[in-house]
């Protein structure tokens, strides 16, 4: 046997061994999975559905995204096992873990584990250009404001943020696409978004009509940071056609989540796929440029799934002891 033949034979045997081991590791994997997203027209839906398809295609497991009410509902459904995977925001996650979820008061949702960081969710405001509203202080008393699906991050925090800033309003809930249509038809005055950017519903509105993206003043931004678990944020001018310069806002981090009882090898492969293929993640939604392991530091709330911990530690990232199961 020649040296080349021995190398090829050895390589083939090694590959078959690895393949056999990988197949054996799948013995306890779920037959299918579902990712909880949010309403159509929002970034969660685009990101979550695309991520589900990536997992299904690359790992050979049947799965897909599911329309939900957003972060709070995803936490509840992952906790109960009705969903394997989901997307959530750190504010609702902290409340759910403490038993303070608006969907299940008193229930500590401790079967929810973090996988990887997604992106920051900016809190942004949009209205039609002909409304005359160019600042938060311009929003008239009694204005009807759309806050997204009930119990979503936007619906949970944005009304309180605007109340903190002295805005008096009528509250409207619905999917982002539906609210965008209502804004265009003059049925509501403002939409207050908490969603990854660019927000598909806003991008679609820009094509059809003139809109205003309303930014926070420096004073308003600081007032909100002092009162809520948010950070300063700048919406880049390149995000929307409407913006001529960066717009001041606040934001909250999002993470993917999984049931803590999911098989370790399954979650390890999902984490590996997601963290080692950022180009494919950015093909799903450009906000995934922030879906990188360096940003695991922004989860100080949920324990990381053991499968995710294994990938991070193998690749030189430290997980604090209090965030391990």
């Amino acid at each position: 046997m020649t040296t080349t033949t021995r190398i090829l034979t050895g390589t083939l045997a090694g590959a078959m061994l690895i393949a056999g081991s990988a197949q054996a590791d799948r013995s306890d994997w779920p037959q299918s999975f579902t990712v909880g997203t949010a309403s159509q027209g929002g970034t969660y839906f685009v990101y979550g559905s695309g991520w589900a398809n990536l997992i299904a295609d690359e790992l050979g497991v049947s799965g897909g995204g599911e329309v939900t009410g957003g972060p709070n509902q995803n936490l509840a459904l992952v906790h109960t096992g009705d969903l394997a995977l989901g997307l959530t925001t750190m504010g609702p996650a902290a409340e759910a873990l403490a038993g303070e979820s608006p969907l299940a008061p008193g229930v500590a949702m401790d079967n929810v584990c973090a996988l990887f960081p997604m992106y920051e969710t900016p809190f942004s405001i949009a209205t039609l250009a002909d409304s005359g509203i160019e600042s938060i202080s311009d929003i008239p008393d009694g204005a009807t404001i759309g806050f997204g699906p009930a119990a979503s991050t936007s619906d949970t925090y944005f009304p309180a943020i605007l109340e903190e800033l002295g805005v008096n309003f009528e509250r409207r809930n619905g999917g982002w696409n539906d609210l965008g249509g209502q804004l265009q038809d003059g049925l509501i005055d403002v939409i207050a978004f908490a969603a990854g950017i660019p927000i598909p519903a806003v991008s679609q509105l820009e094509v059809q009509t003139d809109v205003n993206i309303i930014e926070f003043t420096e004073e308003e931004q600081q007032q909100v940071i002092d009162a809520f678990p948010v950070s300063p944020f700048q919406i880049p001018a390149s995000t929307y056609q409407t913006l001529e310069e960066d717009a001041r806002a606040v934001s909250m981090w999002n993470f993917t989540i999984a049931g803590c009882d999911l098989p370790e090898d399954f979650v390890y492969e999902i984490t590996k796929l997601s963290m080692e293929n950022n180009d494919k993640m950015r093909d799903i939604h450009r906000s995934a440029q922030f879906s990188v392991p360096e940003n695991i530091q922004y989860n100080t709330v949920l324990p990381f799934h053991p499968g995710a911990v294994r990938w991070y530690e193998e690749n030189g990232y430290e997980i604090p002891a209090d965030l391990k199961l």
Side-chain angles (χ1 to χ4, degrees):
M1 183 181 294
T2 67
T3 301
T4 301
T5 302
R6 285 197 298 271
I7 292 172
L8 289 173
T9 302
T11 301
L12 179 60
M16 291 175 66
L17 179 61
I18 292 171
S21 299
Q23 186 63 35
D25 289 342
R26 290 172 174 253
S27 60
D28 61 351
W29 283 26
Q31 296 297 310
S32 62
F33 68 91
T34 303
V35 175
T37 64
S39 69
Q40 293 182 348
T43 303
Y44 262 32
F45 179 76
V46 176
Y47 190 115
S49 298
W51 179 51
N53 292 337
L54 178 66
I55 295 169
D57 292 344
E58 297 291 335
L59 300 185
V61 182
S62 176
E66 180 174 311
V67 172
T68 70
N72 280 305
Q73 189 175 18
N74 292 340
L75 286 157
L77 292 173
V78 168
H79 171 72
T80 59
D82 292 297
L83 294 177
L85 306 168
L87 317 179
T88 197
T89 317
M90 287 295 95
E95 293 177 352
L97 194 61
E100 299 172 355
S101 169
L103 297 183
V107 177
M109 298 184 187
D110 54 6
N111 186 38
V112 179
C113 282
L115 296 188
F116 63 84
M118 293 166 57
Y119 54 82
E120 291 176 88
T121 287
F123 286 71
S124 57
I125 302 170
T127 187
L128 299 184
D130 62 11
S131 69
I133 299 173
E134 297 182 352
S135 66
I136 292 175
S137 61
D138 285 340
I139 299 175
D141 283 351
T144 302
I145 301 179
F147 291 104
S152 64
T153 299
S154 182
D155 186 51
T156 301
Y157 288 94
F158 227 146
I161 286 173
L162 292 182
E163 287 172 355
E164 170 71 21
L165 297 177
V167 179
N168 297 309
F169 53 84
E170 295 293 329
R171 191 169 182 159
R172 184 75 58 84
N173 291 117
W176 294 124
N177 279 346
D178 178 49
L179 291 173
Q182 291 186 46
L183 181 67
Q184 189 171 5
D185 293 339
L187 300 176
I188 60 177
D189 303 296
V190 175
I191 304 181
F193 295 91
I197 55 175
I199 299 163
V202 174
S203 298
Q204 183 177 347
L205 272 174
E206 284 190 306
V207 174
Q208 299 168 339
T209 188
D210 294 331
V211 301
N212 284 344
I213 308 296
I214 308 300
E215 71 171 341
F216 291 71
T217 65
E218 290 184 17
E219 294 77 13
E220 290 167 343
Q221 183 188 58
Q222 189 58 54
Q223 184 177 346
V224 172
I225 290 169
D226 290 342
F228 300 95
V230 295
S231 304
F233 188 85
Q234 293 280 340
I235 300 174
S238 59
T239 306
Y240 300 113
Q241 299 173 14
T242 299
L243 289 178
E244 296 180 355
E245 55 186 27
D246 295 351
R248 196 178 297 104
V250 295
S251 69
M252 188 179 289
W253 270 91
N254 301 270
F255 272 69
T256 58
I257 53 174
C260 296
D261 52 1
L262 282 178
E264 180 178 327
D265 284 337
F266 179 55
V267 174
Y268 173 87
E269 293 297 338
I270 290 174
T271 306
K272 175 182 173 68
L273 171 66
S274 305
M275 293 292 90
E276 295 183 4
N277 294 278
N278 191 251
D279 55 338
K280 293 181 179 179
M281 295 293 288
R282 283 185 281 111
D283 286 343
I284 295 168
H285 195 282
R286 75 187 197 191
S287 66
Q289 64 181 299
F290 303 106
S291 301
V292 293
E294 289 79 8
N295 289 329
I296 58 175
Q297 63 180 305
Y298 296 110
N299 169 36
T300 59
V301 176
L302 293 173
F304 283 94
H305 192 285
V309 170
R310 175 152 62 98
W311 184 88
Y312 289 122
E313 292 185 341
E314 284 180 359
N315 289 276
Y317 298 96
E318 184 176 349
I319 303 296
D322 62 343
L323 293 180
K324 296 180 183 179
L325 290 180

